[in-house]
Amino acid sequence: MSERVSLDRLRDQAITVRQQAYVPYSHFPVGAALLTPGGQVFTGCNVENASYPLSLCAERAAVATAIASGARQFEAIFIVGANSLAMPCGGCRQVLSEFGDMRVYVSQGTGDDVKQFWLHDLLPASFQLNPSSEEPTRS
Ligand SMILES: [Zn+2]
């Protein structure tokens, strides 16, 4: 954990951004706060859509904000659901793994219910594009 950003502050930022979640269908707001090694925090909330598969998770929203700001390295993400723990979905685990291993904190945002994981434990065999592999040949 960055010395400049406490776990409480990271949680608080996830709780704050959770209030902005657009969840007219699931009514399940989620906030995520992504921490860089330099102490920057980027947040995101889930954004649902009438075409359900187009909905965006809070974790990926936070990644998009961070990337647009030039950040490329992350040491932790704090994810806050409501009324239940919001473990990152498989898609978000893969997206996060693009940027290396990091700690994943999950909480309902109330009380002392924080669970901590390493991303590599949540997604032990992530997809990695091997740029040295040869392209498939056509016969
Ligand atoms: Zn997700």
Side-chain angles (χ1 to χ4, degrees):
M1 181 63 54
S2 170
E3 293 179 15
R4 286 181 276 178
V5 178
S6 71
L7 192 58
D8 285 347
R9 187 177 147 219
L10 201 58
R11 182 199 62 214
D12 289 347
Q13 291 197 246
I15 290 171
T16 297
V17 73
R18 182 181 64 182
Q19 296 169 5
Q20 304 303 326
Y22 177 75
V23 289
Y25 308 106
S26 72
H27 305 287
F28 187 76
V30 179
L34 194 56
L35 176 67
T36 71
Q40 285 183 289
V41 177
F42 297 95
T43 60
C45 60
N46 50 341
V47 182
E48 294 183 342
N49 189 273
S51 177
Y52 294 171
L54 299 181
S55 298
L56 180 64
C57 297
E59 300 92 315
R60 281 181 284 144
V63 168
T65 301
I67 294 302
S69 298
R72 297 290 186 273
Q73 293 182 308
F74 309 107
E75 68 175 45
I77 187 166
F78 202 116
I79 306 161
V80 175
N83 301 321
S84 67
L85 293 179
M87 292 296 295
C89 74
C92 286
R93 294 178 195 196
Q94 175 65 38
V95 168
L96 291 169
S97 75
E98 177 79 13
F99 304 99
D101 204 11
M102 67 186 76
R103 290 193 182 277
V104 177
Y105 298 96
V106 182
S107 168
Q108 295 182 50
T110 58
D112 198 19
D113 65 341
V114 179
K115 294 195 181 310
Q116 175 185 317
F117 305 90
W118 278 104
L119 182 58
H120 75 259
D121 289 329
L122 297 178
L123 188 65
S126 65
F127 173 77
Q128 301 292 328
L129 186 63
N130 182 353
S132 65
S133 66
E134 295 180 19
E135 290 188 26
T137 55
R138 294 184 179 176
S139 55

